[in-house]
Amino acid sequence: MFQYTEKRCSKCLLQEDTARNFLINDDGLCSFCANMTEEEKDYARLEDVFRNKIEQIKAQKSKYDAIIMMSGGKDSAYLAWLLKEKYGLTMLALTIDNNFEYEETFERASELCKTLDIAHMQFRIPPSLTRTFYRFIMSEQPLKEKDFGQLCLYCGKYLLDHGIVMAEQFGIPAVIVGYNPDQLFGMGRSIEVETQTFRIRQQQAIARKIEFQFKKAEAHAAQNKLHELIPVFKLEHPRCQLIYPFLYLEYEPLKMMDTVRRELGWRPIESFSKGTYIASGCKLLKLMAALAKINNVSSYMDLEFSNQVRTGALTKEALEKYYASLEEDESFYTELLSQLGIAEPLQSLAAISPAGAAGNKG
């Protein structure tokens, strides 16, 4: 685990992070577990909303009803199976190579699409573009967050934009993305019940902050004359629909894995976590977590997984095994930095100057 403190919640394993006010009390519980209230969503009603969205895109009679972003992990595998078998969607699966993925990602995605008999396209972003993009968002002081969460924030849109462009070029009415509920909340997109006014206010604050961050990144790219990056940070409204199924469907990762193993012969992407699978990601996700550890703060993965343990979607034992397998030796990070064209070592890259921190409310 990318662990920087011995103080962890006894129930959900969240690390104490005083910078974010994630505190562990005398009973060994984090503030989330100590003040936990049950969230009851009407999933039957939400599924009706989701089904209506599906029927709307099917009614457009396109060759493909939707593009599904396909990583080959459990979430995209489960959604591809569910959307084809239960909702009857005809999909084009899109796997994007950002030049920092594990080769297993493409193997698993290809296997799944063959098993499901759905069309599959792989698109590789030119290495020079991704190098410029990632180096920019990781190295520029005004964009840095202590946990380097800006890496996933900006990257998520960068990759999704490729799906949107493809959908609009081919006249495909929707792009479907398997972000889990915690990721969606972190994007300011979750659906909250009316009584949870605190979470609604929190969600609105997140959405405002994200809009501010993208405008800041766009302006900074223009200032640095990186014109090829300016469109990446523009917040525009696509003509196609963006559909996030886990806004409406209950998220149960362990049951989902059982389903895709049984129905599709799915195998996990093990390169990321060395044989203990809960979730996977690209190599840069590990770099982000290593930088967060240097800065003595949690990465967004910590909060995401602890939330899943807290709600019963994930077991504490499964998370402990997963955490034990994540860290890499120094040569792994040195090679990544070299690939990015970043000459400074991890400790220097992690540093946030006072000027950078002043414009950074994360």
Side-chain angles (χ1 to χ4, degrees), residues 100-117:
F100 295 94
E101 296 285 356
Y102 292 94
E103 189 59 35
E104 225 180 335
T105 295
F106 309 107
E107 294 169 2
R108 293 292 180 270
S110 180
E111 289 172 1
L112 284 165
C113 292
K114 286 178 182 176
T115 302
L116 282 162
D117 192 26

Side-chain angles (χ1 to χ4, degrees), residues 26 50 53 55 91 105 112 143 164 234 238 243 257 311 334 346 355:
D26 292 339
F50 178 66
K53 286 181 175 290
E55 293 305 321
M91 294 169 288
T105 295
L112 284 165
L143 306 185
I164 292 169
K234 282 187 177 297
I243 299 179
M257 281 193 277
T311 59
T334 302
L346 275 181

Side-chain angles (χ1 to χ4, degrees), residues 16 20 26 37 57 66 89 109 113 115 140 173 221 246 282 287 291 310 328:
E16 183 168 76
R20 289 176 169 165
D26 292 339
T37 56
I57 61 175
L89 281 190
C113 292
T115 302
E140 292 297 318
F246 290 120
C282 76
L287 180 59
L291 290 163
R310 197 175 303 116
E328 301 281 358

Side-chain angles (χ1 to χ4, degrees), residues 44-61:
R45 181 183 64 81
L46 289 173
E47 187 176 357
D48 285 341
V49 175
F50 178 66
R51 192 182 298 276
N52 286 337
K53 286 181 175 290
I54 296 300
E55 293 305 321
Q56 287 171 15
I57 61 175
K58 288 171 71 174
Q60 297 188 41
K61 305 294 184 183

Side-chain angles (χ1 to χ4, degrees), residues 161-189:
D161 280 352
H162 287 81
I164 292 169
V165 167
M166 187 171 293
E168 294 182 347
Q169 283 178 344
F170 294 150
I172 301 173
V175 177
I176 296 176
V177 191
Y179 291 135
N180 69 48
D182 294 298
Q183 291 168 333
L184 289 164
F185 187 84
M187 295 163 61
R189 293 186 182 273

Side-chain angles (χ1 to χ4, degrees), residues 241-254:
Q241 280 198 65
L242 297 180
I243 299 179
Y244 305 101
F246 290 120
L247 282 177
Y248 314 97
L249 307 178
E250 195 164 4
Y251 186 70
E252 300 176 295
L254 298 180

Side-chain angles (χ1 to χ4, degrees), residues 111-141:
E111 289 172 1
L112 284 165
C113 292
K114 286 178 182 176
T115 302
L116 282 162
D117 192 26
I118 60 176
H120 183 214
M121 182 177 291
Q122 294 186 8
F123 176 75
R124 187 184 191 202
I125 305 172
S128 60
L129 284 180
T130 55
R131 189 183 306 115
T132 299
F133 170 69
Y134 291 118
R135 185 170 60 235
F136 174 71
I137 62 176
M138 295 180 73
S139 300
E140 292 297 318
Q141 284 290 343

